[in-house]
Amino acid sequence: MRVPEQVSRIAVVVAVVLVGAVALRFFIIPQSYFSTALHRSSTVKREAARAVHYAGAQACRECHQEQFDAKAVGNHKNLGCETCHGPSAAHAEDPSSVKPEAPRDRKFCPVCHAYDPSRPTGFPQINPTSHNPLKPCVSCHNPHAPVPPQTPEQCSACHGQIARTKAQSSHALLECTVCHTVSEEHKKNPRSALPSIPQARDFCGRCHGQAAGESSAPKIDMATHGGSYLCWQCHYPHLPEAH
């Protein structure tokens, strides 16, 4: 059976390519190029050539005692100063001429605090896209003592979507802590120390019951309205107008 001419030509091209690849691999490229030891050695030399000099925590403490003390008892106590500020030996030797790094944008903190499901439960994590967008982290958080902001003013720091929804509702003027009791531990471990939610119908009845003194709130008969259900099981409390 005669082999078509097209197949023969393709076979010749493939053979030439294979021969060229073998020649390139075994006769043209130096064998040392494939040695991992060579790459490791060159990488070590390149990194060693970099001018990286750390000052050490004690050198930072000599001039920045207040920041050092705040960090020593805060959530960042296990981080060295130069973890965020970079190698600062040159700054320690000549503070007026050499300034250390000071992360002022939104790129640095998410290296540790951007949401990652592999991180431990309770570790502070955020979605950098939706969490106070465009604002530098240091505008709300003191990096040397990063305790979560006080409630209720800063509930929106973590619950921005709820805050934006509530701001459009008839409950806009109610502080979050009117309905939720929030412990200090919630600010540190929000997933394990949850805020309270109303567990009795009488809670909403304080404003919405027929005998309630709040005249502007819609009134209902608590004895017959909704049966035994809790109010928030039918009404979304952050936007009670929604159906």
Side-chain angles (χ1 to χ4, degrees):
M1 182 178 120
R2 182 179 178 182
V3 178
E5 183 179 354
Q6 296 87 341
V7 175
S8 300
R9 291 185 179 185
I10 292 176
V12 170
V13 171
V14 171
V16 170
V17 171
L18 289 176
V19 171
V22 172
L24 184 68
R25 169 66 177 80
F26 292 100
F27 301 104
I28 298 177
I29 298 177
Q31 294 303 308
S32 59
Y33 180 83
F34 301 99
S35 171
T36 55
L38 172 65
H39 293 289
R40 185 178 299 112
S41 175
S42 62
T43 301
V44 170
K45 289 181 180 178
R46 184 176 64 251
E47 294 299 320
R50 292 186 176 183
V52 178
H53 301 291
Y54 292 93
Q58 291 306 316
C60 303
R61 185 177 189 177
E62 291 178 3
C63 297
H64 306 284
Q65 185 68 51
E66 181 180 349
Q67 291 83 354
F68 187 90
D69 291 342
K71 189 178 74 63
V73 297
N75 292 341
H76 283 173
K77 60 184 177 183
N78 293 327
L79 295 181
C81 305
E82 290 161 297
T83 300
C84 299
H85 293 290
S88 301
H91 170 68
E93 295 174 358
D94 189 359
S96 60
S97 300
V98 181
K99 300 299 181 184
E101 297 179 13
R104 300 295 186 191
D105 56 29
R106 292 179 56 82
K107 298 179 181 178
F108 186 79
C109 300
V111 171
C112 293
H113 293 290
Y115 177 71
D116 185 336
S118 66
R119 287 183 172 137
T121 299
F123 184 82
Q125 300 180 71
I126 62 164
N127 181 340
T129 302
S130 60
H131 182 79
N132 282 339
L134 304 181
K135 289 186 178 180
C137 303
V138 296
S139 63
C140 294
H141 303 276
N142 179 352
H144 300 115
V147 176
Q150 296 294 318
T151 56
E153 290 83 1
Q154 296 299 332
C155 295
S156 59
C158 295
H159 306 284
Q161 183 175 0
I162 291 176
R164 289 188 291 273
T165 300
K166 190 172 78 66
Q168 306 301 318
S169 78
S170 56
H171 284 174
L173 299 181
L174 296 181
E175 300 286 4
C176 304
T177 49
V178 170
C179 301
H180 301 285
T181 299
V182 184
S183 66
E184 289 296 318
E185 186 63 19
H186 175 68
K187 303 171 189 175
K188 301 176 182 178
N189 299 296
R191 295 184 180 177
S192 57
L194 299 175
S196 69
I197 55 177
Q199 296 295 325
R201 290 167 50 81
D202 292 344
F203 182 86
C204 298
R206 298 175 187 175
C207 293
H208 296 288
Q210 290 180 323
E214 177 56 58
S215 59
S216 62
K219 297 296 186 291
I220 59 171
D221 184 350
M222 298 295 295
T224 60
H225 182 85
S228 60
Y229 288 101
L230 295 174
C231 303
W232 51 261
Q233 290 178 306
C234 298
H235 302 276
Y236 181 51
H238 302 124
L239 186 63
E241 298 87 344
H243 295 285

